[in-house]
Amino acid sequence: MAGNVSSPSTTVTGRALSLVAAFDEDHRRLTLTELATRAGLPVPTAHRLLAELVEWGALARDPRGSYVIGRRLWDLGMLAPVQRGLRDVASPYLHDLYGATHATVHLAVRDDLSALYLDRLAGHTSVPVVSTVGSRLPLHATGVGKVLLAHSSEQVVQEALARLERVTPYTVTQPGRLRRQLEQVRHDGYAVTREEMSLGACSLAVPVVSRERVVAALGIVVPSLESSQVRLVAALQVAARGIARSLGSADDPRATP
Amino acid sequence: MAGNVSSPSTTVTGRALSLVAAFDEDHRRLTLTELATRAGLPVPTAHRLLAELVEWGALARDPRGSYVIGRRLWDLGMLAPVQRGLRDVASPYLHDLYGATHATVHLAVRDDLSALYLDRLAGHTSVPVVSTVGSRLPLHATGVGKVLLAHSSEQVVQEALARLERVTPYTVTQPGRLRRQLEQVRHDGYAVTREEMSLGACSLAVPVVSRERVVAALGIVVPSLESSQVRLVAALQVAARGIARSLGSADDPRATP
DNA sequence: CCGATCCTTCCGGTCAGTGGAAGAGGTGTC
DNA sequence: GACACCTCTTCCACTGACCGGAAGGATCGG
């Protein structure tokens, strides 16, 4: 799985961007040659563009000379309206929820065919969890993902069902079965997963409904569901309603679903 | 205060970047003409470049046609090593601290002459606080700022002292007085501010010391300090030591101070 | 209806960007 | 010490991608 040699974009901006795009969750430090390869550019060209990006602060060089994402991009990223209102509003509720459950708490929205984690809140002793803020996980294997999918258009559902990757032995990979689960989620008002994304981790999630639209999903990850499920769902719903209420008041409707 | 018509960078990448740079905390939504002006570019040129940036996802267009920072930049920003290890490690401790104090909790590092807020944790009922994650506040008027300044090089201190802007009637603007306070901070091991940044908000902050270097500052904002100050400082120090301990283990030394 | 303002598209000239080639620095091998 | 091999950096002449004035839409308000 060496290089996703992207289409060698002919425009300059495109090329510069393809260099930046070479970074991802698993590639936070890249060398010149790696970048050139991944962006599908000749080394000297990459070098020149990178120099510019570094000068501007989009990228930075670590002590070893490798390239990393720079502080300026981080700054700018924080300005993104990516549900910024949502994130700000939700923060205290995530918190309450953590206080009530001591489970890892997640806030996610759907972005294309993945669940995009807007915020995460984990304690010291939480179950090992794969997600980090800004990361994406598949819709079919996570609690928040199922909630989001359950309230998506038929077209999205079809696309998602078309590629159900197996992650653990318990991942649901049969379209029919998942469809029934989604129906269940809509009926129950919450979603459940049991070790479908990572072993030893179960999750519960509920939708956050504002102006009659599902704007996000709120979920928690716990080692097991045993008896406490009812209580946890109740806590989730309280938090979700709180978020929705805060969203409804004093917030402009610039959603970006 | 219309346009900071930046030097009309001659390179294409530079121009594209100058468009992105036109966004800041106070300008999260910009129209084509605004962008063109702020970036110092002709409208058609700006238009073309913007189209590319939008297609790529660096920017996005809101329902009204204005431009905003796109989701992809947010993503990428989250990958920035801007103290990412620090942020991840600190998160649970910030939490504990909130649980113990129910005050707004801040984690900040020094970036040039400002305090850069890496993380913030606020409850429902917290004091009104200006900071948001990713924002910068002056070093001389905040608790975390004073801590960071107290442990900075003489050169930085001098530059900071050279421009002590007044924010509230209580902001310390006399260099001599601030110097004495910094001395006090080093001696006591914590910093105090009383309504120096915003009225009705006092703050306490302590340094996070890892490998004998001050790598960050941890602070809380409360309505008043009255009697509980000793307890609060103790809680802060516990958290700071916890973070430092977690940092010391299992983390590589790619600091970016 | 007409003028003002902002957004979008077009297209030929030109100059910035391109990338092969060569040099510099570093590291491992015999 | 010399060689092979690697990645990074600089150079520079050619060329085709970008530039931006001009013109055409779209929208709004009077």
Side-chain angles (χ1 to χ4, degrees):
Chain A
M1 47 188 61
N4 52 341
V5 184
S6 57
S7 53
S9 162
T10 142
T11 92
V12 187
T13 314
R15 292 175 181 209
L17 292 174
S18 71
L19 282 169
V20 179
F23 291 89
D24 64 32
E25 194 69 26
D26 303 318
H27 300 87
R28 295 198 212 146
R29 290 184 59 245
L30 292 168
T31 66
L32 172 60
T33 9
E34 283 170 334
L35 278 161
T37 309
R38 290 172 66 83
L41 296 175
V43 172
T45 304
H47 183 259
R48 184 164 30 80
L49 292 173
L50 286 168
E52 235 179 309
L53 288 166
V54 167
E55 190 191 359
W56 189 74
L59 301 181
R61 311 199 61 167
D62 73 4
R64 279 164 282 186
S66 298
Y67 295 85
V68 294
I69 300 279
R71 193 165 276 180
R72 194 142 180 194
L73 272 191
W74 184 73
D75 275 26
L76 284 168
M78 301 308 283
L79 295 178
V82 178
Q83 314 289 3
R84 176 161 177 161
L86 179 57
R87 269 151 55 218
D88 289 348
V89 160
S91 173
Y93 292 98
L94 298 189
H95 216 230
D96 293 349
L97 196 50
Y98 177 78
T101 63
H102 282 268
T104 300
V105 178
H106 284 142
L107 181 71
V109 292
R110 182 175 67 80
D111 184 32
D112 200 25
L113 293 181
S114 35
L116 175 61
Y117 285 77
L118 294 182
D119 207 348
R120 187 192 72 151
L121 210 146
H124 308 275
T125 55
S126 310
V127 199
V129 173
V130 257
S131 69
T132 59
V133 176
S135 70
R136 294 154 199 282
L137 291 179
L139 290 171
H140 68 286
T142 61
V144 284
K146 283 186 190 177
V147 166
L148 294 170
L149 194 53
H151 298 277
S152 298
S153 67
E154 176 56 26
Q155 190 198 338
V156 171
V157 174
Q158 279 181 13
E159 286 183 54
L161 290 180
R163 36 185 173 113
L164 298 178
E165 277 178 45
R166 172 168 301 291
V167 189
T168 74
Y170 305 105
T171 308
V172 179
T173 54
Q174 304 150 3
R177 180 142 174 251
L178 187 56
R179 258 193 201 281
R180 259 170 281 129
Q181 289 194 352
L182 295 181
E183 184 55 50
Q184 186 81 29
V185 170
R186 279 188 292 269
H187 177 265
D188 296 344
Y190 65 90
V192 189
T193 68
R194 294 167 192 275
E195 308 193 278
E196 296 169 30
M197 186 68 220
S198 69
L199 295 174
C202 303
S203 66
L204 284 173
V206 300
V208 177
V209 184
S210 175
R211 299 161 193 270
E212 309 193 351
R213 289 188 349 100
V214 172
V215 295
L218 187 64
I220 57 175
V221 180
V222 289
S224 76
L225 293 171
E226 2 160 321
S227 53
S228 53
Q229 183 169 328
V230 177
R231 190 179 64 78
L232 293 177
V233 170
L236 276 166
Q237 284 173 338
V238 168
R241 269 198 293 272
I243 295 172
R245 204 175 317 117
S246 305
L247 272 180
S249 63
D251 202 44
D252 51 352
R254 40 176 138 135
T256 326
Chain B
M1 46 180 66
N4 53 340
V5 183
S6 57
S7 53
S9 162
T10 141
T11 90
V12 187
T13 313
R15 292 176 180 210
L17 292 174
S18 71
L19 282 169
V20 179
F23 291 88
D24 64 32
E25 193 70 28
D26 302 319
H27 300 87
R28 295 199 209 144
R29 289 183 60 244
L30 292 169
T31 67
L32 172 59
T33 10
E34 283 170 335
L35 277 161
T37 309
R38 289 172 66 83
L41 296 175
V43 172
T45 304
H47 182 260
R48 184 165 28 80
L49 292 173
L50 286 168
E52 235 180 308
L53 289 167
V54 168
E55 190 192 0
W56 189 75
L59 302 181
R61 310 199 61 167
D62 73 5
R64 279 164 281 184
S66 298
Y67 294 85
V68 294
I69 299 280
R71 196 165 274 182
R72 194 142 179 194
L73 272 192
W74 183 73
D75 277 26
L76 284 167
M78 302 307 283
L79 296 178
V82 178
Q83 313 289 2
R84 176 164 179 157
L86 179 56
R87 269 152 55 215
D88 289 348
V89 160
S91 174
Y93 292 98
L94 297 190
H95 245 183
D96 294 349
L97 196 50
Y98 177 79
T101 64
H102 282 267
T104 300
V105 178
H106 284 142
L107 180 71
V109 293
R110 184 174 67 79
D111 183 32
D112 200 25
L113 293 182
S114 36
L116 175 61
Y117 285 76
L118 295 181
D119 207 348
R120 187 192 72 152
L121 209 147
H124 309 275
T125 55
S126 309
V127 202
V129 173
V130 258
S131 69
T132 58
V133 177
S135 70
R136 295 153 199 280
L137 291 179
L139 290 171
H140 68 285
T142 61
V144 285
K146 282 186 191 178
V147 165
L148 294 169
L149 193 53
H151 298 278
S152 298
S153 68
E154 176 56 24
Q155 191 198 338
V156 171
V157 174
Q158 279 181 12
E159 287 183 54
L161 290 181
R163 36 184 175 115
L164 299 178
E165 277 179 45
R166 172 169 301 292
V167 189
T168 74
Y170 304 105
T171 309
V172 179
T173 54
Q174 304 151 3
R177 183 144 171 246
L178 188 57
R179 259 195 200 282
R180 259 170 282 129
Q181 290 193 352
L182 295 180
E183 183 54 50
Q184 186 81 29
V185 169
R186 279 188 292 269
H187 178 264
D188 296 344
Y190 65 89
V192 189
T193 67
R194 294 169 192 272
E195 309 194 275
E196 296 168 31
M197 187 67 218
S198 68
L199 295 174
C202 303
S203 66
L204 284 173
V206 301
V208 177
V209 184
S210 175
R211 298 160 194 270
E212 309 193 352
R213 288 190 347 103
V214 172
V215 295
L218 187 63
I220 58 176
V221 180
V222 289
S224 75
L225 294 169
E226 3 159 319
S227 52
S228 52
Q229 181 169 330
V230 177
R231 189 179 64 78
L232 294 176
V233 169
L236 276 166
Q237 283 173 338
V238 168
R241 268 197 295 271
I243 295 172
R245 204 176 316 115
S246 304
L247 272 180
S249 63
D251 202 44
D252 53 350
R254 42 175 134 135
T256 326

